[in-house]
Amino acid sequence: MTIPKSAVTRVPGFRAVGVTCGLKQSGNPDLALILASHPCTAAAVFTTNVFKAAPVLYDLALMERTGGKLQAVLINAGNANAVTGGQGLADAEQMARWAETACNLPADSVFVMSTGVIGQKMPMDKLETGIRIASETILTEAGRYGSAVAEAIMTTDLVPKEVFVQVVVGEKRVHLGGMAKGSGMIHPNLATMLAVIVTDAAIEPAALTAALKQAVACTFNRITVDGDTSTNDTVLILASGEAGHALISDSQSPGFAPFVTALTDVCSGLAKAVVRDGEGATKLIEITIRGAASEVEAEAAAKTIATSPLMKTALFGNDPNWGRALAAIGRSGARVDPAQVSLRLGDFQLVAQGEPLPFDMIAAHHWLAETDEVKLVADLGVGQAEATVWTCDLSYKYVEINAEYHT
Amino acid sequence: MTIPKSAVTRVPGFRAVGVTCGLKQSGNPDLALILASHPCTAAAVFTTNVFKAAPVLYDLALMERTGGKLQAVLINAGNANAVTGGQGLADAEQMARWAETACNLPADSVFVMSTGVIGQKMPMDKLETGIRIASETILTEAGRYGSAVAEAIMTTDLVPKEVFVQVVVGEKRVHLGGMAKGSGMIHPNLATMLAVIVTDAAIEPAALTAALKQAVACTFNRITVDGDTSTNDTVLILASGEAGHALISDSQSPGFAPFVTALTDVCSGLAKAVVRDGEGATKLIEITIRGAASEVEAEAAAKTIATSPLMKTALFGNDPNWGRALAAIGRSGARVDPAQVSLRLGDFQLVAQGEPLPFDMIAAHHWLAETDEVKLVADLGVGQAEATVWTCDLSYKYVEINAEYHT
């Protein structure tokens, strides 16, 4: 779906635009620029992958230098600037410098993200031109509407992913607009889950970081398409403070809780959109583990099911194959009482007290064939902790996407 | 391939046979019996899955009770007798009793293995008849040749898997014959990797267990088809002692080293055969990690690549997609120096000192398209440890096998 205004530009004080600079062979928009009217408080979380792409290394140092003060974000799709050595790092910095100059911003005010092919040098000539065009276009109506900004960060995503949420903090309306890209690590060497969220909330850097980590922990960190992390994964949030409510200085401030709730809604919406758009996905699969000894073990069990090719192919085949879910739980490392474990798929109770129950296999198969959203709930029977993870099924299309395209 | 004599019956003192008792709808042999002329020293390793099938629970107690003395093995294919509660355990014990009676063996001399559908009661009437027929047939020529014994343990395996090795211990010829089944966790609820090895070596239970664990650690424990362990995985070895060499009493005995080497050859041959026959596999993939800080980290890195759907689909697509291998290493938890890492695929050096190297992409693609055995070697550049893991690629056929069959 495309909306008249992009989610990020629905937040007062933010302009955005997507332009074409020629990184995508398709000629589709491939360079996105988001610009705030004033310097913003910024917080970001990055990939845990040891091989961090040049822009990630640049941004890590940037956040350190600025203490979390930024005014713009530059994102390119088509080249990840990853495994590009020293030249890659210099290129990431040059991209930031060009954007800062073009937008009349001081040094160290632009955050850089890249997604695309790994191991190829950035075509800096194209980027120099593209950055100039983007910084000019963003001052026009297109910039006010955020034209093509969500499209410009897509790689093999089938749809742009945007979420807009409003929340009242201290009797003031606070706006949050976010966009994301990603559908697994993608053909032939493309990668990455990127998300940018902007808000007019007034919040201190430390509190914003705490809020982002809290929101990401149970959303972006709870999704998986194929179990692979990328070299570029990044989630960034910019807060302009223009909403005018009392400053959220820390997690004890009255505005913190409602803000985290709204931010979690944005992250959750974007995260599920990424999974729904997973490579070759035909179903969104929600896996909830209950009765675990700890939340860590609940998450481990859920993620083991969520990354099991057997479970994912079974659900693609509309097969209520609970044996595969139990086998996955059994190797997850989570403590479980085999005599107490229970399992439910949608409305079908398949296992109780560790024993298989008779159920209408045909009805379950038909239900799976018709739904595009599957809920699997397992109780490990050893504690009170629980966790939910979202993934998608594994289809012929996934194999095609990842096998048929060649580097 | 079928050989005139099965690998297990090429070992003096062992008879074996496979018969049909009706567990497989195909009518193919589905019940295997292996019988030694005298009580043997036995050692076994079992699945680490929390959900252990009834025969695994029975065998664990059996090995405890007997201290590792057995004379026969009964294996059925078509029903895993897993997640079958108390009845399943009683059924496993009844199968052993029937075999012991039919073969005139004392109680606690028969080891039981099952592979097949999870969560369905064993059709004990069929098994009672099948066990009687097997125990009669094993005394005929068929039993001397081990007729159909390797076929009888197959589920969706495409080929029987057997290995025969001879080694000289103390100037006496020692024989080792093994067979295995498994090609991942299989349609629709089938599972399991099973292996049985028999030998006429003379060796104490503790030494045999030590030898088996050593051999399995770098063979069966180093293969993966889809990352899923089953509820029934079991590797058993029986040693009759009839070779007549000086008893191998412990790992210091002169015969221990050559025996472990021979046993490792058997396990390695069977393990690779399982991977080669992996569901939908078109290639055997050998992944070696060098320069790791520890063997544990080397194995973790190798297994992360070996279980990456992206790497496996890329190789199915004959795509020299080294970016996916690096990304997998980067999330494996193994220490790695991004500036020192190197990667080789077959004869193509793709990465050195952390930087991508120019290489003939077309030649690499054509080589991959023509070979059915791919070697990937990565050096993490942080230490001296190394480990090798074997897996297969991920094809449309894998998805078909696991999605198209319904429970």
Side-chain angles (χ1 to χ4, degrees), chain A residues 353-356, chain B residues 52-54 57 81-91 119 121:
Chain A
Q353 269 74 45
E355 302 252 358
Chain B
K52 292 176 168 52
L57 295 172
N81 193 11
V83 196
T84 44
Q87 183 59 49
L89 197 54
D91 291 344
K121 304 285 182 212

Side-chain angles (χ1 to χ4, degrees), chain A residues 131-291:
Chain A
I131 290 167
R132 198 188 64 249
I133 294 168
S135 57
E136 289 165 1
T137 318
I138 203 166
L139 301 177
T140 67
E141 272 301 279
R144 197 167 72 77
Y145 276 87
S147 163
V149 68
E151 290 75 7
I153 65 172
M154 291 164 61
T155 50
T156 56
D157 304 61
L158 300 178
V159 295
K161 303 165 186 69
E162 301 187 282
V163 173
F164 178 74
V165 165
Q166 300 183 68
V167 60
V168 172
V169 175
E171 293 175 350
K172 300 284 186 183
R173 183 181 303 281
V174 170
H175 311 80
L176 299 92
M179 62 181 204
K181 64 84 51 174
S183 59
M185 273 188 66
I186 304 159
H187 92 275
N189 263 341
L190 302 184
T192 303
M193 201 290 298
L194 295 181
V196 181
I197 301 149
V198 301
T199 177
D200 49 3
I203 181 166
E204 291 282 3
L208 186 59
T209 300
L212 182 63
K213 286 185 172 165
Q214 223 173 296
V216 166
C218 57
T219 56
F220 288 117
N221 283 349
R222 291 279 174 87
I223 62 171
T224 171
V225 169
D226 48 28
D228 275 284
T229 58
S230 107
T231 52
N232 298 53
D233 296 335
T234 304
V235 180
L236 170 73
I237 180 166
L238 298 181
S240 70
E242 296 185 12
H245 58 81
L247 180 71
I248 301 172
S249 52
D250 59 42
S251 60
Q252 301 314 311
S253 306
F256 188 79
F259 178 72
V260 169
T261 303
L263 181 56
T264 302
D265 288 345
V266 173
C267 292
S268 172
L270 292 173
K272 288 186 192 177
V274 166
V275 171
R276 212 180 262 287
D277 195 12
E279 297 175 306
T282 71
K283 294 178 176 68
L284 172 68
I285 302 164
E286 180 179 296
I287 299 162
T288 299
I289 298 293
R290 300 204 173 116

Side-chain angles (χ1 to χ4, degrees), chain B residues 20-24 31 98 123-131:
Chain B
T20 295
C21 76
L23 297 173
K24 291 179 182 172
L31 187 65
W98 280 335
M124 294 302 283
D125 52 338
K126 291 179 178 175
L127 281 155
E128 183 170 23
T129 312
I131 291 167

Side-chain angles (χ1 to χ4, degrees), chain A residues 49-51 83 185 188-189 227-229 308 310 313 317 319 321 324 326-327 330-331 356 396 400 402-404 406-407, chain B residues 49-51 83 185 188-189 227-229 308 310 313 317 319 321 324 326-327 330-331 356 396 400 402-404 406-407:
Chain A
N49 200 295
V50 171
F51 296 97
V83 196
M185 273 188 66
N189 263 341
D228 275 284
T229 58
S308 164
L310 288 163
T313 45
D319 182 4
N321 200 324
R324 294 178 177 179
L326 280 195
R331 68 181 166 89
Y396 293 112
E400 179 188 342
N402 288 294
E404 297 295 313
H406 295 138
T407 34
Chain B
N49 199 293
V50 171
F51 296 97
V83 196
M185 273 186 66
N189 264 340
D228 276 284
T229 59
S308 163
L310 288 164
T313 45
D319 182 4
N321 200 324
R324 293 177 178 180
L326 279 196
R331 69 181 165 88
Y396 293 113
E400 180 188 338
N402 288 294
E404 296 294 312
H406 297 137
T407 35

Side-chain angles (χ1 to χ4, degrees), chain A residues 48-51 82-87 118-121 184-190 226-231 279 304 307-311 313-314 316-331 334 336-339 341 351 354-356 359 361 365 394-407, chain B residues 48-51 82-86 118-121 184-190 226-231 279 304 307-311 313-331 334 336-339 341 351 354-356 359 361 365 394-407:
Chain A
T48 56
N49 200 295
V50 171
F51 296 97
V83 196
T84 44
Q87 184 59 49
I118 293 178
Q120 294 189 12
K121 305 286 181 213
M185 273 188 66
I186 304 159
H187 92 275
N189 263 341
L190 302 184
D226 48 28
D228 275 284
T229 58
S230 107
T231 52
E279 297 175 306
T304 305
T307 53
S308 164
L310 288 163
M311 195 67 225
T313 45
F316 168 62
N318 305 310
D319 182 4
N321 200 324
W322 57 268
R324 294 178 177 179
L326 280 195
I329 291 170
R331 68 181 166 89
V336 49
D337 181 348
V341 71
V351 178
E355 302 252 358
F359 70 100
M361 194 96 66
H365 173 59
L394 173 53
S395 69
Y396 293 112
K397 188 71 180 173
Y398 176 90
V399 177
E400 179 188 342
I401 291 170
N402 288 294
E404 297 295 313
Y405 299 87
H406 295 138
T407 34
Chain B
T48 55
N49 199 293
V50 171
F51 296 97
V83 196
T84 44
I118 292 178
Q120 295 188 13
K121 304 285 182 212
M185 273 186 66
I186 305 160
H187 92 271
N189 264 340
L190 302 184
D226 49 28
D228 276 284
T229 59
S230 107
T231 52
E279 297 174 302
T304 305
T307 53
S308 163
L310 288 164
M311 196 68 226
T313 45
L315 290 174
F316 168 62
N318 305 312
D319 182 4
N321 200 324
W322 57 268
R324 293 177 178 180
L326 279 196
I329 290 169
R331 69 181 165 88
V336 49
D337 180 350
V341 71
V351 178
E355 303 251 358
F359 70 101
M361 195 95 69
H365 172 59
L394 173 53
S395 68
Y396 293 113
K397 189 73 182 170
Y398 176 91
V399 177
E400 180 188 338
I401 291 170
N402 288 294
E404 296 294 312
Y405 300 86
H406 297 137
T407 35

Side-chain angles (χ1 to χ4, degrees), chain B residues 4 13 57 108 146 157 175 190 206 256 338 389 401:
Chain B
L57 295 172
D108 286 347
D157 304 61
H175 311 80
L190 302 184
F256 188 78
V389 163
I401 291 170

Side-chain angles (χ1 to χ4, degrees), chain A residues 58 65 92-102 107-110:
Chain A
Y58 176 76
R65 285 199 301 276
E93 177 167 6
Q94 181 62 69
M95 285 168 64
R97 294 290 158 271
W98 280 336
E100 284 152 1
T101 308
D108 286 347
S109 48
V110 174

